[in-house]
Amino acid sequence: MRTSTLRCMAMAAGILALSVAASAQGSKLTGTVTDTNGNPVAGATIRALLPGPGDNADVVTNAKGEYEVPVSVGDWVISVAMKGFAPEHKQLAVSDRLIKGQSLKMDFTLKPADAAAVAFTPRRTPDGQIDISGTWNDNHATGDSINYDLETGHRSAEHYTGRGEKPMPNPEHAIVDPLDGKVPYQSWALAKRNENQARYQNPPGLDYVAGRSKCWLPGSPGFPSSGNPTVLQIPGYVIMMIEFSHSYRIIRLDDSPHVGSNIVLMSGDSRGRWEGNTLVVDVTNMKEQWLDLLGNFRTPAAHVVERWTLTSPTTMTYEATVDDPQAYTKPMKVVFHFNRNNNPNYEIYEDTCHEGNVGVYERVGRHAQ
């Protein structure tokens, strides 16, 4: 059975791995969802997801906070979402010796959505900003896999075979809304994504090559997962830099309007403000761009609201709500996490990725030229 690892999202209570005796035919998972005071949480959505090809199920808790979902053999991710609470995710491993009809039990205790923001008193910069300066590390397997496939985080078997590598453990699931972990495409956009995915290995032209492969600056929400962000803060501004393709962002902390709609930027136009321990960044004016190497994308109509929340002196959560009315049926929310890099000698390396990369033209052939 494959081993999967999943880091907790937004103050989740932790990962619970259950190895149980198994046949999953006709088996079920039951449990109760409560708040931190022990009160039942009715109407919470439970998503039972078998990563990769497999089964999944959605249910809603009843008035007593109870739920029941069918489970089969495999490595499940059980997610709970409820407005006003931080989402929680746990892992459930079901082996093939479970007695038919046997029930498994998994309870959840949900924390308020703002619990992380009030759990400690952070230090501040001289001008009063919450101090998030320094370098923040994401899990390399997480960022690398999200950039390969935003929806599943899994790299293809061909990727590992071609490089002689072992598959990475299952990383954090970036998309937390919708709960199925899928980009909520309109029908035309889904067809386009599927075409992108079918052609990306042998692209007939540059339109079928990910922006990352062409060394384009990553926009939101791809920027944070493209490298460990280094944050600088000066009065009125937050500046973020990553190694990939010399990428940087300058976030103005004022009420000035966004640039005109006729101006389209790779990384978009950002305006920020502080809400408690959270830096809220409004991003517009982005070029259409793939969100990963497999063709998931957003259009120039996309409006992204990022929330960078300091959850402890050494941890930060990134949440982005992507609203693209041109391509999506509803907004999409992605979440992942960072740990502070405490290495005083850490430096950002110079990345030689640049536009006009000869390797890209060799990959697409003469047709692209």
Side-chain angles (χ1 to χ4, degrees):
M1 179 185 300
R2 70 181 186 273
T3 301
S4 58
T5 59
L6 180 69
R7 290 179 298 164
C8 302
M9 296 180 180
M11 296 303 293
I15 296 176
L16 176 62
L18 299 178
S19 295
V20 293
S23 139
Q25 296 294 331
S27 300
K28 60 186 177 182
L29 175 69
T30 65
T32 303
V33 179
T34 60
D35 62 21
T36 52
N37 295 318
N39 300 313
V41 178
T45 299
I46 308 292
R47 160 62 102 180
L49 176 67
L50 192 60
D55 301 324
N56 57 65
D58 288 331
V59 298
V60 176
T61 55
N62 62 22
K64 296 181 179 180
E66 300 168 335
Y67 73 91
E68 177 182 311
V69 292
V71 291
S72 57
V73 174
D75 295 339
W76 293 81
V77 175
I78 313 300
S79 304
V80 184
M82 181 66 181
K83 185 175 182 180
F85 292 91
E88 187 169 340
H89 306 260
K90 295 182 181 180
Q91 181 179 330
L92 173 69
V94 181
S95 70
D96 59 4
R97 297 187 303 278
L98 184 67
I99 299 173
K100 183 176 181 179
Q102 181 177 345
S103 295
L104 305 175
K105 186 172 177 60
M106 180 181 287
D107 295 330
F108 291 85
T109 300
L110 300 185
K111 297 178 176 65
D114 61 350
V118 299
F120 75 107
T121 302
R123 65 186 183 188
R124 293 181 177 269
T125 64
D127 66 320
Q129 296 185 49
I130 301 297
D131 189 351
I132 59 172
S133 61
T135 298
W136 296 88
N137 297 343
D138 95 343
N139 180 307
H140 174 70
T142 299
D144 192 41
S145 294
I146 288 172
N147 284 323
Y148 179 80
D149 186 348
L150 177 66
E151 291 190 331
T152 71
H154 288 283
R155 285 186 173 271
S156 65
E158 291 81 2
H159 168 85
Y160 297 109
T161 301
R163 293 166 172 77
E165 300 175 359
K166 294 182 179 180
M168 288 182 180
N170 188 34
E172 173 183 7
H173 287 249
I175 301 176
V176 299
D177 186 12
L179 284 173
D180 62 1
K182 305 296 184 183
V183 180
Y185 288 116
Q186 297 175 23
S187 57
W188 76 266
L190 179 60
K192 179 177 180 181
R193 191 288 304 272
N194 291 343
E195 182 183 13
N196 293 341
Q197 193 170 103
R199 297 191 175 195
Y200 87 102
Q201 289 186 317
N202 297 292
L206 289 176
D207 287 346
Y208 295 95
V209 177
R212 183 178 180 85
S213 297
K214 293 182 283 192
C215 302
W216 288 2
L217 301 180
S220 181
F223 179 90
S225 64
S226 297
N228 299 332
T230 293
V231 181
L232 304 176
Q233 292 173 269
I234 60 176
Y237 294 88
V238 175
I239 301 167
M240 297 183 178
M241 302 174 291
I242 57 175
E243 290 175 358
F244 174 73
S245 200
H246 310 281
S247 300
Y248 65 89
R249 298 174 64 187
I250 299 176
I251 302 169
R252 296 177 58 173
L253 304 177
D254 59 25
D255 296 327
S256 61
H258 284 288
V259 297
S261 59
N262 61 319
I263 299 176
V264 180
L265 306 168
M266 286 289 185
S267 296
D269 186 49
S270 298
R271 295 292 183 272
R273 66 182 185 277
W274 286 98
E275 293 182 357
N277 296 355
T278 299
L279 174 65
V280 181
V281 185
D282 191 271
V283 190
T284 61
N285 299 73
M286 288 182 290
K287 180 180 177 65
E288 178 173 328
Q289 193 167 148
W290 286 16
L291 301 176
D292 55 24
L293 294 180
L294 292 188
N296 287 298
F297 71 99
R298 53 160 169 68
T299 74
H303 175 205
V304 180
V305 177
E306 301 176 329
R307 301 181 66 86
W308 301 74
T309 302
L310 197 63
T311 53
S312 80
T314 58
T315 58
M316 184 160 59
T317 293
Y318 173 82
E319 173 187 302
T321 300
V322 186
D323 186 8
D324 188 345
Q326 184 173 322
Y328 302 166
T329 60
K330 58 178 287 187
M332 171 182 69
K333 182 180 292 185
V334 301
V335 174
F336 46 95
H337 307 275
F338 295 94
N339 295 316
R340 186 182 290 279
N341 183 331
N342 291 317
N343 181 357
N345 298 316
Y346 181 85
E347 296 181 6
I348 296 180
Y349 291 112
E350 181 179 3
D351 187 356
T352 57
C353 190
H354 58 84
E355 292 187 65
N357 190 331
V358 173
V360 173
Y361 288 96
E362 291 177 346
R363 182 179 172 196
V364 300
R366 297 182 179 227
H367 176 75
Q369 301 183 50

